[in-house]
């Protein structure tokens, strides 16, 4: 955090000085100030800012308000991290946050003025965690890969599944993991899916990649089971694959050839995927469910016909998109959406899964709402299969030790 630079854009002089003072007290030495959006842009002309820096921005300012400033900021320096500061009502702040994200900015969160030291500290910690993750797993390593490069990597077996744990929020047990693709590039290190999945999708090359991920995930599942970790693994199904009426047979063969019962594999399908080639998609999904595979409606709430998909497809899970989980503890509208989704899942007799859980307050709220399963950085980042097995062993030992200590304390008290 020593090299972190923060720009405070706030027209109220006293409040701006208070925020600067709090940042200094939190160990931030490089703090810049501007009274409105126009001054901030002029400052950024002469002062270099990196993608790891932060802008704290008010909304209601003279000459250039926060919304116009954020638009110009996205044109000059996309992917910069932003914390919105405002005394406006929360629905308006939420709308501006979504606007800024659409412009390509990274919204860490929103502070309701007057700002509190603890709140600013929490945002700095969240920014540090995200920045650390991006350093270890680059989005594209500063390179724009060609389709030929990605396909070469596929032929040379450079891709593998990273696993992110899923935990039953009531029992605390690890019940599964999502397999997320990573590219082990020989020059650029570990590359995340955003650098290659869209390229494969728009060029109609997802089928080979999907089957490769499924095969490797099934083998990992077999290894985990052989070593005592009887959990389910989730794999994302490609949108384009669902139109192939032989898909269910291919998937079943891959999984059974790895020695895995289909009941231990969950196939995650986006809402939009379930809407394309409807007849063929429904045939495939019904056949897969009949053979024991779990079906998860992924990114629930972000598609165009959520309710209709729940009536069409025999889903076993409803996975609430992380865009609703983020800041649901502070945003009433998001909280209502999350709670309603969990209740809907319960009434439909399917499991509710919250993805993108990043802190204790989100965990506590989801537990109060009776969510079934959670997934996110609060538990663990995606990791290699070997690291995931080690994580499971350590996690289970810690839980066992905690239970023993609790029982000992209860006996002593008795």
């Amino acid at each position: 955090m020593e090299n972190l630079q923060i720009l405070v854009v706030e027209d109220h002089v006293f409040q701006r000085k208070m925020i600067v003072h709090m940042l200094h007290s939190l160990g931030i030495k490089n703090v810049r100030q501007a009274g409105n959006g126009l001054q901030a842009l002029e400052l950024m002309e002469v002062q270099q800012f990196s993608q790891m820096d932060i802008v704290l921005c008010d909304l209601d300012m003279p000459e250039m308000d926060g919304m116009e400033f954020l638009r110009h900021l996205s044109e000059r320096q996309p992917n910069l991290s932003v914390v919105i500061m405002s005394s406006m009502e929360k629905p308006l702040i939420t709308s501006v946050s979504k606007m800024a994200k659409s412009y390509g900015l990274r919204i860490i969160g929103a502070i309701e003025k007057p700002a509190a030291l603890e709140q600013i500290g929490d945002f700095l910690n969240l920014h540090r965690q995200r920045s650390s993750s991006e350093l270890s797993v680059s989005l594209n390593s500063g390179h724009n890969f060609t389709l030929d490069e990605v396909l070469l990597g596929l032929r040379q077996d450079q891709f593998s599944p990273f696993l992110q744990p899923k935990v039953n929020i009531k029992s605390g047990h690890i019940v599964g993991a999502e397999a997320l693709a990573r590219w082990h590039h020989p020059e650029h290190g570990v590359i995340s899916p955003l650098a290659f999945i869209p390229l494969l999708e728009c060029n109609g090359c997802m089928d080979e990649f999907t089957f490769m991920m499924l095969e490797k995930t099934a083998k990992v599942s077999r290894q985990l089971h052989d070593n005592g970790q009887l959990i389910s693994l989730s794999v994302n199904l490609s949108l384009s694959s669902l139109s192939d009426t032989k898909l269910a047979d291919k998937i079943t063969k891959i999984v059974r050839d790895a020695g895995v019962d289909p009941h231990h594999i969950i196939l995650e399908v986006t809402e939009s995927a379930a809407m394309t080639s409807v007849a063929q998609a429904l045939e495939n999904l019904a056949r897969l469910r009949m053979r024991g595979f779990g079906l998860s409606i992924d990114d629930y709430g972000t598609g165009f016909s959520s309710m209709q998909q729940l009536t069409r497809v025999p889903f076993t899970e409803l996975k609430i998109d992380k865009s609703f989980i983020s800041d649901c503890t502070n945003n009433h509208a998001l909280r209502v959406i999350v709670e309603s989704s969990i209740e809907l899942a319960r009434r439909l007799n399917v499991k509710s899964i919250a993805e993108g859980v990043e802190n204790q307050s989100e965990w506590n709220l989801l537990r109060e709402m009776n969510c079934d399963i959670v997934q996110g950085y609060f538990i663990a980042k995606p990791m290699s299969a070997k690291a995931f097995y080690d994580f499971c062993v350590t996690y289970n030992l810690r839980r066992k030790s905690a239970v023993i200590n609790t029982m000992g304390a209860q006996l002593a008290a008795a």
Side-chain angles (χ1 to χ4, degrees), residues 87-314:
S87 56
M88 301 288 184
E89 60 269 22
K90 288 184 178 179
L92 174 60
I93 296 173
T94 300
S95 179
V96 174
S97 296
K98 292 185 180 298
M99 175 210 78
K101 288 179 182 177
S102 298
Y103 277 131
L105 296 169
R106 296 186 302 171
I107 300 299
I108 302 175
I111 293 175
E112 186 174 353
K113 296 195 301 184
L117 179 65
E118 182 180 0
Q119 197 173 19
I120 293 178
D122 288 342
F123 282 129
L124 291 178
N125 288 332
L126 180 58
H127 175 73
R128 184 177 65 250
Q129 292 168 8
R130 290 180 178 178
S131 298
S132 175
S133 171
E134 288 169 10
L135 285 173
S136 61
V137 180
S138 168
L139 292 181
N140 60 12
S141 296
H143 296 270
N144 292 317
F145 298 104
T146 66
L147 178 62
D148 287 340
E149 287 177 304
V150 177
L151 294 177
L152 177 63
L154 188 57
R155 287 193 295 271
Q156 294 183 349
D157 197 30
Q158 294 174 359
F159 294 87
S160 68
F162 268 38
L163 304 179
Q164 186 171 39
K166 296 178 180 179
V167 171
N168 182 297
I169 201 166
K170 290 182 180 177
S171 69
H173 291 125
I174 298 174
V175 294
E178 180 179 1
L180 301 161
R182 293 292 186 268
W183 183 5
H184 299 269
H185 197 283
E187 296 180 21
H188 308 301
V190 180
I191 309 296
S192 93
L194 293 180
F196 54 85
I197 292 294
L199 196 59
L200 291 168
E201 285 180 334
C202 68
N203 286 281
C205 300
M206 274 301 295
D207 282 0
E208 181 183 358
F209 188 84
T210 298
F211 294 137
M212 176 275 298
M213 278 292 295
L214 181 64
E215 182 178 354
K216 290 193 172 186
T217 301
K219 289 179 179 178
V220 170
S221 176
R222 181 68 269 163
Q223 292 166 359
L224 288 170
H225 292 176
D226 289 343
N227 286 280
Q229 303 296 331
L230 299 177
I231 62 175
S232 298
L233 299 185
S234 302
V235 183
N236 290 283
L237 260 191
S238 165
L239 181 153
S240 60
S241 301
L242 284 169
S243 60
D244 177 8
T245 54
K246 299 295 183 183
L247 178 68
D249 292 334
K250 294 176 182 176
I251 289 176
T252 304
K253 185 178 187 306
I254 289 172
V255 171
R256 286 181 174 163
D257 283 352
V260 176
D261 189 310
H263 288 85
H264 289 114
I265 298 294
I266 299 168
L267 303 168
E268 298 196 1
V269 186
T270 60
E271 294 179 54
S272 56
M275 291 174 64
T276 59
S277 304
V278 175
Q280 295 94 326
L282 291 179
E283 180 180 348
N284 273 314
L285 294 171
R287 185 170 290 116
L288 288 165
R289 183 71 196 105
M290 185 171 62
R291 292 176 181 175
F293 290 93
L295 297 178
S296 177
I297 183 165
D298 195 16
D299 301 335
Y300 179 75
T302 62
F304 294 102
S305 187
S306 303
M307 297 297 180
Q308 191 176 46
Q309 300 318 317
L310 288 172
T311 63
R312 281 177 170 176
V313 180

Side-chain angles (χ1 to χ4, degrees), residues 94 98 101 320-341 365 369:
T94 300
K98 292 185 180 298
K101 288 179 182 177
I320 306 166
D321 186 68
K322 61 185 177 183
S323 63
F324 298 110
I325 303 301
S326 177
D327 204 38
C328 68
T329 55
N330 301 313
N331 186 301
H332 177 70
L334 291 177
R335 179 171 180 159
V336 169
I337 291 171
V338 172
E339 191 166 21
S340 299
S341 299
L365 180 60
M369 292 178 176

